[in-house]
Amino acid sequence: MGVISATVPHEHRAGSRSARYTVAARFSRSASAWERALIEHPRVQTILAEQGYGSVRLKVLDRRLLIENTNVQMLERGLAAAIAEILAAVDREVAAGRARSLREAQQRRAAQSQRSVVGE
């Protein structure tokens, strides 16, 4: 799930760089319920706070990541990189979970096949 664009509200593009507002970043696809839960998990807020962005909130809305209570200056000074790391960690966790689920399903099928063979 990659971010393909971000928009700053029109009234803040040339205005004060210290005002805080919501920036909408557009994903390349809709986030799954699992991805949304991971992105909006309280642990993400803790990670952002530990990096100096305690007021920032991340919310997922369909194909958009809403970065609340931020500004261009914060994004340029490291918030964008911190969010990119969070999204990469979410991708890794989802991929690992899918791999686990696949292995478990394969093991169940193999066990059922063995029981079928033994029962004949």
Side-chain angles (χ1 to χ4, degrees):
M1 173 178 48
V3 173
I4 56 175
S5 67
T7 56
V8 174
H10 182 69
E11 62 271 17
H12 297 292
R13 289 183 188 159
S16 170
R17 291 171 58 89
S18 62
R20 297 208 178 176
Y21 41 84
T22 298
V23 172
R26 191 165 53 111
F27 290 129
S28 57
R29 60 174 174 75
S30 294
S32 70
W34 189 7
E35 289 166 326
R36 179 182 179 164
L38 290 171
I39 291 168
E40 294 179 355
H41 194 276
R43 177 68 184 134
V44 169
Q45 179 59 37
T46 301
I47 291 167
L48 290 171
E50 288 170 351
Q51 295 184 29
Y53 305 108
S55 65
V56 174
R57 301 284 182 270
L58 301 182
K59 293 189 179 174
V60 176
L61 182 62
D62 190 37
R63 290 184 63 171
R64 290 181 291 156
L65 174 65
L66 302 179
I67 308 163
E68 298 179 343
N69 204 26
T70 189
N71 58 39
V72 171
Q73 188 175 24
M74 291 170 71
L75 290 162
E76 290 174 344
R77 290 192 175 171
L79 177 58
I83 292 170
E85 294 229 357
I86 289 166
L87 295 178
V90 166
D91 281 345
R92 287 190 301 272
E93 187 166 340
V94 168
R98 287 183 179 146
R100 264 190 316 276
S101 294
L102 180 61
R103 279 192 309 274
E104 291 167 1
Q106 290 171 335
Q107 290 170 348
R108 281 191 302 275
R109 282 193 297 274
Q112 287 172 346
S113 292
Q114 271 189 328
R115 283 192 296 267
S116 295
V117 171
V118 171
E120 291 179 358

